[in-house]
Amino acid sequence: MELTGTILRGREFEPVEGRVVIDDDGRIEAIEDAPVYSSDIILPAFVNAHTHIGDSIAKEAGGGLSLEELVAPPDGLKHRLLRAASREELVAGMRRSLEYMERSGTAACLDFREGDVDGVRMLREAAEGFEVDALAFARGSADAMRDGDGFGASGANDADFGRERRATREAGKPFGIHAGEVDESDINPALDLDPDFLVHVVHPQPVHLERIADSEVPIVVCPRSNLVTGVGLSPYEELAERTTLALGTDNVMLNSPSMFREMAILSKLSDLPADEILRMATVNGADLADLEYGLLEPGREARLLVLDGDSDNLAGARDPVRAVVRRASVDDVRDVVFAGPA
């Protein structure tokens, strides 16, 4: 298979006019610089580094509620709605969100999975037939983590999580944890667990920034979610100076799982350059889960997105990376190519 257009190659997303050659094993065989007659923009498919798609049954529920009233376990609105829903409703809701992700060019999501072992199995069932890698960062028990792809802790103020952290390390799987979403009180305890990544980190103090820099622990930021819940915004530039950032859309209850929207919002709320934001939406998230895609380079799995550079929205764009980050949308998607093994 060959695709032609402006290729956003490598970690710097250098625009290359030419063709991407994909071999029979679903890997990028070559990226060739050559004159082509295509206005398409070819980029890596997205990796959504933090989702909760179980609450797809409750979109826009709970307007005006605080974060704790919305999602705090065990009796936040989200958890009450999850308990009241049938298994069939939950699986069907997750399937709709995964369908949207696939259509909008998301190759993988790192889903913090409620429901213990059965929650992991529901996500597996929901993902059947889709090419999106729906990775289950389980909650509830070490057994759920072993069934899933890692452990996704709610926050160090909710429980100790030391036993789950040890079990996750022994299983050789990643451990992520929410930290600093409402205030700074759970950041140090979360860092004490030596996590593979943190989520949110809206309220770090200087001591936390020093620890983050020393440990180089990656952080997943979720700007639209933080805006909706009113907790504030992460200090994106300060965090980016100290560690690797990835991007997530968080609860489907609060926001659509659109990486286009998440990038555009972040580009307007921060001074981060467009290429850094695109890395956050692709390879940085892929690295958290040790995925073999997220970049367009020979040897990588061919999971990529083709945008119509001549759409009414993108025609005339002078900087393709800025155009992708700041203005592209699902309406500009010409093709989604998940040629690599799903």
Side-chain angles (χ1 to χ4, degrees), residues 224-246:
R224 283 190 300 153
S225 171
N226 298 154
L227 282 171
V228 171
T229 58
V231 298
L233 297 173
S234 303
Y236 306 111
E237 295 84 2
E238 290 184 272
L239 293 173
E241 289 173 0
R242 292 165 172 82
T243 191
T244 300
L245 301 185

Side-chain angles (χ1 to χ4, degrees), residues 19-277:
R19 61 178 62 88
V20 178
V21 182
I22 300 170
D23 67 21
D24 292 339
D25 294 323
R27 294 188 178 274
I28 297 174
E29 180 178 315
I31 296 176
E32 299 173 350
D33 188 345
V36 296
Y37 300 97
S38 171
S39 59
D40 288 348
I41 301 171
I42 304 169
L43 63 145
F46 302 123
V47 175
N48 192 335
H50 184 64
T51 62
H52 295 268
I53 68 169
D55 53 27
S56 297
I57 59 162
K59 300 182 181 93
E60 305 308 320
L65 297 182
S66 69
L67 178 65
E68 184 173 1
E69 291 169 325
L70 280 168
V71 300
D75 292 319
L77 175 63
K78 163 185 169 169
H79 297 280
R80 300 199 307 273
L81 293 172
L82 291 178
R83 287 195 294 269
S86 70
R87 180 191 179 91
E88 290 73 20
E89 289 172 323
L90 293 170
V91 170
M94 288 190 284
R95 285 188 64 82
R96 297 296 293 267
S97 289
L98 290 168
E99 183 174 4
Y100 178 85
M101 287 189 207
E102 186 168 287
R103 182 162 46 88
S104 58
T106 294
C109 64
L110 282 57
D111 194 63
F112 275 34
R113 192 84 292 281
E114 296 86 0
D116 210 292
V117 172
D118 193 47
V120 173
R121 293 175 182 172
M122 280 193 284
L123 182 62
R124 298 279 191 255
E125 182 179 338
E128 288 179 5
F130 291 108
E131 294 185 276
V132 177
D133 286 332
L135 305 180
F137 281 72
R139 291 181 173 184
S141 70
D143 286 339
M145 173 274 297
R146 295 185 188 99
D147 255 22
D149 302 286
F151 194 90
S154 58
N157 286 342
D158 296 332
D160 175 70
F161 294 115
R163 184 164 57 90
E164 291 84 354
R165 179 66 183 106
R166 290 189 293 274
T168 307
R169 185 178 288 112
E170 289 168 4
K173 295 181 178 181
F175 178 95
I177 184 168
H178 294 80
E181 187 174 8
V182 176
D183 57 40
E184 73 273 14
S185 63
D186 60 356
I187 300 178
N188 273 332
L191 288 167
D192 290 343
L193 291 166
D194 188 26
D196 293 293
F197 62 94
L198 301 175
V199 181
H200 292 302
V201 192
V202 176
H203 300 284
Q205 300 302 309
V207 64
H208 306 127
L209 294 172
E210 289 179 14
R211 290 193 68 184
I212 287 166
D214 289 342
S215 63
E216 298 181 332
V217 59
I219 296 169
V220 182
V221 296
C222 308
R224 283 190 300 153
S225 171
N226 298 154
L227 282 171
V228 171
T229 58
V231 298
L233 297 173
S234 303
Y236 306 111
E237 295 84 2
E238 290 184 272
L239 293 173
E241 289 173 0
R242 292 165 172 82
T243 191
T244 300
L245 301 185
L247 196 60
T249 61
D250 207 2
N251 298 73
V252 176
M253 179 182 185
L254 306 177
N255 294 295
S256 69
S258 168
M259 295 299 281
F260 287 116
R261 289 192 176 186
E262 208 69 39
M263 289 191 300
I265 284 287
L266 182 57
S267 74
K268 294 169 175 60
L269 293 174
S270 75
D271 292 325
L272 295 174
D275 61 336
E276 179 62 24
I277 293 174

Side-chain angles (χ1 to χ4, degrees), residues 257-317:
S258 168
M259 295 299 281
F260 287 116
R261 289 192 176 186
E262 208 69 39
M263 289 191 300
I265 284 287
L266 182 57
S267 74
K268 294 169 175 60
L269 293 174
S270 75
D271 292 325
L272 295 174
D275 61 336
E276 179 62 24
I277 293 174
L278 189 53
R279 276 189 291 276
M280 292 168 63
T282 55
V283 66
N284 290 359
D287 287 346
L288 294 182
D290 199 26
L291 301 172
E292 293 187 52
Y293 42 88
L295 283 183
L296 301 187
E297 287 286 13
R300 292 264 182 165
E301 286 186 21
R303 291 185 154 231
L304 45 85
L305 181 59
V306 181
L307 303 182
D308 179 4
D310 194 39
S311 69
D312 291 339
N313 184 38
L314 297 179

